[in-house]
Amino acid sequence: MIRLLIADDHPVVRAGLSGLLSDEPGFEVVAEASDGDEAVRLAAATRPDVVLMDLRMPKVDGVAATARIAGGEAGDPPPRVLILTTYESDDQILAAIEAGATGYLLKAAPQAEIVAGIRSVAAGQSALSPQVAVRLVERMRRPAPETVLTVRELDVLRLVATGHSNKQIAAVLGIGESTVKTHLLKVFEKLGVADRTRAVTLAMERGLLS
């Protein structure tokens, strides 16, 4: 029996998945969570085999929750995490995989594909929707772009990396808070990311920050 935890902030989606999977031979839905923090807590309490994790949820998003579960907060060995979402941007896919997700499927996938993906993940294998697999292969084949950040952009990013808020960065550098936001937006654009955490992580990976 494969024990499942469904984490999604939409009650209708949770109910639909629960009904669908409960009718599937060999599946048991042991818990449902409406946000990432609850998913981590319920995973620790119920010890499912697989957590079906949405990406965009309140309080703690799916990527952060996946990292916490994969990091041992839900027990050791941790449950396997299968991302089941409507989103498939390169950054979201990479962030989820890097956080420790074993698979990444889209909610629009056929029922048979979702069921097969859950069984694969429970068996210790990976599961990627065809669209996601293509995106990952293309991303890996694509040469890393040569990113050039200005001295000021690097100053701002270093302070972001050490946990400074925009207001604190403005005070340290003697510039306006709106100027800090402008620098960050330029950094996001150059790195092809959408948030501060990914900007710092990618800058470190590329050797832009020590």
Side-chain angles (χ1 to χ4, degrees):
M1 184 68 69
I2 299 174
R3 293 162 49 81
L4 304 172
L5 186 157
I6 299 171
D8 196 294
D9 62 330
H10 295 289
V12 173
V13 173
R14 290 198 309 273
L17 284 172
S18 180
L20 169 71
L21 298 174
S22 294
D23 291 338
E24 195 68 33
F27 287 168
E28 179 187 4
V29 177
V30 297
E32 297 179 20
S34 59
D35 61 67
D37 187 58
E38 186 178 26
V40 177
R41 289 189 284 106
L42 286 177
T46 62
R47 297 310 310 276
D49 300 301
V50 178
V51 178
L52 300 181
M53 185 78 73
D54 190 18
L55 283 182
R56 295 188 181 178
M57 292 186 291
K59 297 181 181 178
V60 175
D61 66 21
V63 171
T66 297
R68 288 171 58 184
I69 290 173
E73 283 193 39
D76 188 23
R80 300 184 184 279
V81 178
L82 172 59
I83 301 297
L84 186 60
T85 186
T86 57
Y87 310 103
E88 55 172 319
S89 76
D90 288 0
D91 281 335
Q92 288 166 329
I93 295 169
L94 286 173
I97 300 300
E98 288 172 355
T102 310
Y104 196 116
L105 298 179
L106 301 178
K107 289 178 181 176
Q111 177 180 334
E113 183 180 319
I114 293 174
V115 169
I118 294 172
R119 295 193 191 280
S120 293
V121 167
Q125 302 168 354
S126 61
L128 296 174
S129 72
Q131 302 97 311
V132 169
V134 168
R135 298 285 283 276
L136 281 176
V137 170
E138 289 177 347
R139 181 68 175 251
M140 292 176 67
R141 287 177 175 171
R142 194 184 310 155
E146 188 69 29
T147 306
V148 178
L149 300 181
T150 66
V151 173
R152 182 59 87 190
E153 288 165 355
L154 285 171
D155 288 340
V156 169
L157 198 54
R158 287 192 188 95
L159 290 169
V160 169
T162 53
H164 287 68
S165 66
N166 287 359
K167 185 175 182 180
Q168 291 170 328
I169 294 171
V172 171
L173 298 180
I175 57 179
E177 194 170 345
S178 61
T179 303
V180 173
K181 292 179 181 177
T182 299
H183 285 312
L184 278 175
L185 288 175
K186 289 181 179 177
V187 169
F188 292 172
E189 182 180 356
K190 289 180 179 180
L191 294 177
V193 300
D195 60 72
R196 299 159 74 95
T197 301
R198 184 63 183 151
V200 170
T201 301
L202 193 58
M204 288 181 173
E205 288 175 358
R206 295 185 183 176
L208 301 175
L209 291 180
S210 57

